[in-house]
Amino acid sequence: MKRDDVRSELKYEVLKSVAENEFNGTLDQEAIEAIPFEIIPGITPKFRCCVYKEREIIRQRVRVAMGETPIPAHNAEHIDMNQHVLQVIPAACEGCPINRFQVTENCQNCMQKACQKACAFGAITITPRGAYIDQSKCRECGRCASACPYNAIADLMRPCMRSCEVNAISIGDDKLAKLDNKKCIVCGHCASACPFGAISDMSHITHVIRAIKDPNRVTVAIPAPAAEGQFGPTVTIGKLKTAMKQLGFDYVYEVALGGDMVAMNEAKELIERKAEGEKMTTSCCPAFVNLIRKHYPELMKYVSSTVSPMQANVRYILDKHPNAFIAFIGPCIAKKFEAEMMEAPDAVMTFEELNALFDAKNIDPAKCEEDVKPDATSFGRRFSAAGGVGQAVAKAAAENGVTDIRVKACSGVKDCKVALAMLKVGKLPEDIIEGMACSGGCIAGPGSIAMLAQLKAARLKKINGKDDDSITDMLDSMEANDVDMVRRSFDMPHESE
């Protein structure tokens, strides 16, 4: 399954080629150099000006697929490379309108000259043909566009910049997009928004494949609750478990079990805070935690000290399988940052990447047998969509005798910012903020490969009629009550005290 989008097709082809070579043990320099010619054969370009440009884009994508920066960090062009998850692919980052504000043909060369009067930088002159913007003087304040009575000045902000709710993207002197790690929350929305696919997440697929092929390593896959429906309307988490074992994983555990563990621990934490008249926020979405950590640091005291479901699963599994290689699989790019920050799990893959691995090994999840063993409740599986975490926490609180929990469910960064602003000024009526950086929740994450309607339908099948599920009973049956659920730090390892 692939999105009907040239950007996604190209990314998929690169991931699949790298995966095939890694599985076959042929990912040497010769194979790496051959991949661009295999994907773009002949001399006729498919999507850019020439095949040479296209092949350079492929070369840089191959490096990203192998977990490296698109070009070496110390490159001859002196282009700064980001050292974290999100990467700007230089060869692909072009074609966008560089000059944000431009005068269109709607300009009437009016006598009012409102645009010129509004500009505080002397960037606008009036010519016989109309207004002219000197881009060397323009500071992109937008006053001219607001002042024009004919709406003749177009705001052509780059899609990546427009998608970023925390203003972490700027345009450098080399005209390439730049990510400010001090502001970036790694939500991945810019990667989805770029029409050229020029922003991408570094991949861990080669590390995963090497671990799978190592006969001395125990490998464990932990798929996120959002996996339901990703690979087709009939592909359940049970079929995916079988497919992942065919891929080579020794064990598969649902992250939804970690959701149950988190729901119970956060409920107990919230009950204590509520008794003391304090508010709380969830901590399962790493992009939401980053939003608070980088843009609302004074609110960090409200963030739950509970680890995310991914981390809970890792700790649960390591207790049963010490030294196991654990790979999280989900729709989230921010989880790759969380893995870097928490130094666990060993690898994070998106559903895009898992799809490439399945196809590289000719595995069709739809034809796999169903693994029917339950290892999570419907409440753990509700973590996949907006509002689900709050429902699970409220359910766990009810199992602990508290039934008056009020939840502020936030869907998307903009929604989260509004709730955090209310918390900051002491006007939040609810007890807990459920923060989801992606509008719609995890199922709408940038690493998803299915349409949102299909994912919602698959999720409803999994949770409908199961409001009586007992989180307490599930944790007892899975022997998951003794896992350490406390997060030690919210900083990168080198920044920790």
Side-chain angles (χ1 to χ4, degrees), residues 445-459:
S448 289
I449 58 174
M451 298 300 291
L452 191 58
Q454 177 174 303
L455 298 176
K456 287 182 176 179
R459 177 179 179 272

Side-chain angles (χ1 to χ4, degrees), residues 237-251:
I237 191 67
K239 289 189 175 184
L240 272 180
K241 286 181 181 180
T242 302
M244 290 177 192
K245 288 178 181 177
Q246 289 183 11
L247 197 60
F249 285 104
D250 296 306
Y251 301 95

